[in-house]
Amino acid sequence: MSEKKLKIAVIGAGIIGCTSAVVLIESIPNVDLTIISEKFTPNTTGDGSGGLIYPYLPGSTDSKRIKKWINDTMAYLKQHFQSSDSGKLGIGLLSMYYLLEDREVFNYSDFDNVMISQRPMTSSELKQFSSPQKQWTKGVYVTTYYAECRKLLPYLLQQFKSKGGKVCQQRVDSVRQLIGKYDIVINCPGVEAGKCTADQSVHPIRGQVYRVSAPWIKHCVMAGNHYIIPNSDTVVLGGTKQLNNWNTNVDPIDSKDIMDGCSQLIPSVRTAQIVDEWVGLRPGRHEVRLEREVISDGQSHQLQVIHNYGHGGSGVTLSYGCAQEVLDYVQQIIASNNVKSRL
Ligand SMILES: Cc1cc2nc3c(=O)[nH]c(=O)nc-3n(C[C@H](O)[C@H](O)[C@H](O)COP(=O)(O)OP(=O)(O)OC[C@H]3O[C@@H](n4cnc5c(N)ncnc54)[C@H](O)[C@@H]3O)c2cc1C
Ligand SMILES: *[C@@H]1O[C@H](CO)[C@@H](O)[C@H](O)[C@H]1NC(C)=O
Ligand SMILES: *[C@@H]1O[C@H](CO)[C@@H](O)[C@H](O)[C@H]1NC(C)=O
Ligand SMILES: *[C@@H]1O[C@H](CO)[C@@H](O)[C@H](O)[C@H]1NC(C)=O
């Protein structure tokens, strides 16, 4: 076996690409790893997200896979929560009231053993959020984590670089361009997956949010379209989930709907100082695409591709678990000696 290093590229420096890159560089010996991305933190989708660790709009992905990925993410966050750096990393415990419509079919019991704790809300808890206009009758109280990407992503990139990882700010027009240049490509382009691969099933789910200063709010509240998610020093108020809408400008009609909806849950959000208003495009897909593919230039070169995109409103939640599965695939490729061109 020659001494040549295994060459891997990760497309995308969002939370999905960065967790994949860090897990690989920590686990694969003798690897030459590069993140190629057009945007970096603080300009990725996760940077504006609520960072709540709980399933939200994950399509119809097999619930066993979702459960395993979240479980792995929880274990990773626990490790960081217990370190003296958790404040700096934007990771903390979060108590959440998840209100459900009577007809809502979400089976939260699936996550009973995955969350830190979870139980049905009591009637007095439900009354905290009910008003003459809206009576809530069903909900679940959850203890989980938040992971604030604006703080976590710089840390992940620094970890990656300190272990010899390289970053390159560049757009990749097509994954095919990388055939012959790398042994393995981890494809994590988020909502733009349709452009660099031939997958037309990825679509935006537009999310608009406010970030406000409201240090008196200590609990997360989720209620249909509206949610309130405390982070380490701001609170996220959302939101919208508009399918196939690519507009990244703030829409004043949405702003009003968010403020009206959130203030029905906790009226004092109206008095909070607004820090930021932002729109992000969740990478929607009928299911998360996490799988292997081999592409070829029709001649002598082959490229092993591991796709990791389409996480909808749960990208932060699924990130570390998906990165672990990427590692499994890379180890399979190495074990089957499928990268013969270089090994
Ligand atoms: C308002 C809102 C709230 C949210 N709240 C939560 C939440 O509370 N919890 C949760 O788990 N999730 C939440 N999400 C979802 C979460 O933010 C996304 O699922 C996640 O950020 C997707 O990560 P990603 O790395 O796949 O994509 P992105 O962050 O979009 O990263 C993709 C990267 O790939 C790069 N790229 C794309 N195409 C190319 C190319 N051709 N060449 C080079 N580079 C390319 C981009 O520049 C970018 O760096 C929220 C989303 C929104 C919009
Ligand atoms: C983020 O975007 C802003 C505005 O386009 C730009 O000025 C800044 O350089 C970007 N940051 C990074 C790290 O790419
Ligand atoms: C969740 O992770 C724990 C270890 O952190 C493990 O013991 C358990 O089997 C896992 N459960 C699932 C459903 O993956
Ligand atoms: C909900 O999930 C739990 C745990 O996974 C399972 O035991 C139960 O049968 C499910 N209920 C429904 C209605 O699907």
Side-chain angles (χ1 to χ4, degrees):
M1 207 185 267
S2 84
E3 287 300 304
K4 203 137 189 180
K5 282 189 175 181
L6 183 67
K7 278 192 85 175
I8 304 181
V10 175
I11 301 177
I15 188 67
I16 298 297
C18 287
T19 46
S20 299
V22 168
V23 166
L24 291 178
I25 208 155
E26 286 177 345
S27 317
I28 308 279
N30 210 24
V31 65
D32 176 341
L33 197 49
T34 308
I35 298 176
I36 308 172
S37 186
E38 189 175 17
K39 291 181 182 163
F40 286 85
T41 183
N43 298 333
T44 76
T45 312
D47 287 288
S49 86
L52 165 69
I53 306 302
Y54 207 69
Y56 189 71
L57 308 171
S60 45
T61 312
D62 176 26
S63 70
K64 283 203 189 75
R65 294 184 89 193
I66 296 279
K67 203 166 148 177
K68 167 145 199 337
W69 293 331
I70 298 182
N71 193 51
D72 287 350
T73 303
M74 291 293 287
Y76 174 77
L77 293 174
K78 173 171 170 244
Q79 205 187 325
H80 283 299
F81 174 66
Q82 290 180 334
S83 86
S84 55
D85 280 338
S86 67
K88 204 173 76 190
L89 306 185
I91 292 168
L93 285 177
L94 189 63
S95 301
M96 166 170 73
Y97 292 109
Y98 198 113
L99 297 158
L100 293 160
E101 295 292 351
D102 290 333
R103 286 167 289 112
E104 216 161 316
V105 288
F106 174 56
N107 186 3
Y108 58 81
S109 312
D110 271 348
F111 302 97
D112 278 352
N113 302 320
V114 174
M115 291 297 120
I116 297 168
S117 71
Q118 187 166 264
R119 59 162 173 78
M121 283 171 69
T122 64
S123 61
S124 65
E125 285 171 330
L126 288 163
K127 280 186 195 131
Q128 302 302 312
F129 307 103
S130 296
S131 61
Q133 297 90 46
K134 176 76 191 175
Q135 305 285 315
W136 292 98
T137 57
K138 204 167 81 171
V140 57
Y141 179 72
V142 184
T143 309
T144 182
Y145 294 107
Y146 65 85
E148 202 174 338
C149 290
R150 254 179 243 216
K151 294 186 178 176
L152 188 56
L153 282 171
Y155 165 77
L156 291 173
L157 277 172
Q158 177 241 313
Q159 288 283 95
F160 177 71
K161 289 180 195 161
S162 74
K163 298 198 158 78
K166 294 180 278 190
V167 298
C168 169
Q169 186 153 19
Q170 191 188 306
R171 193 176 167 79
V172 179
D173 289 326
S174 161
V175 177
R176 309 194 67 82
Q177 284 178 350
L178 304 180
I179 299 175
K181 296 189 177 133
Y182 294 91
D183 300 300
I184 303 173
V185 166
I186 321 297
N187 186 34
C188 317
V191 73
E192 292 186 80
K195 292 173 193 160
C196 63
T197 58
D199 184 351
Q200 295 315 306
S201 57
V202 190
H203 55 267
I205 308 175
R206 180 178 176 278
Q208 180 172 319
V209 288
Y210 277 113
R211 210 168 258 276
V212 301
S213 174
W216 62 89
I217 295 176
K218 314 286 188 196
H219 290 77
C220 173
V221 186
M222 305 287 290
N225 266 338
H226 297 111
Y227 51 82
I228 298 170
I229 308 175
N231 282 179
S232 56
D233 34 40
T234 52
V235 177
V236 177
L237 309 180
T240 64
K241 41 182 176 189
Q242 297 147 346
L243 287 185
N244 291 312
N245 184 337
W246 287 96
N247 177 16
T248 53
N249 296 318
V250 167
D251 180 334
I253 296 174
D254 292 332
S255 307
K256 181 175 185 314
D257 175 73
I258 292 167
M259 200 47 94
D260 288 350
C262 290
S263 62
Q264 263 189 37
L265 299 167
I266 302 184
S268 64
V269 297
R270 277 206 196 278
T271 67
Q273 192 202 333
I274 293 164
V275 176
D276 192 16
E277 213 177 346
W278 177 82
V279 173
L281 304 176
R282 302 178 185 90
R285 197 171 183 273
H286 57 283
E287 61 178 3
V288 175
R289 187 174 190 202
L290 179 42
E291 64 183 5
R292 284 175 59 182
E293 185 184 16
V294 181
I295 60 176
S296 144
D297 63 359
Q299 292 160 0
S300 56
H301 291 300
Q302 285 198 334
L303 179 65
Q304 296 278 341
V305 181
I306 299 165
H307 297 289
N308 188 9
Y309 61 79
H311 301 79
S314 307
V316 187
T317 302
L318 304 175
S319 60
Y320 188 80
C322 290
Q324 282 295 319
E325 194 167 317
V326 165
L327 172 63
D328 291 344
Y329 293 140
V330 169
Q331 282 170 336
Q332 278 174 21
I333 293 168
I334 294 172
S336 66
N337 201 11
N338 254 333
V339 281
K340 288 200 184 73
S341 63
R342 287 171 193 276
L343 286 180

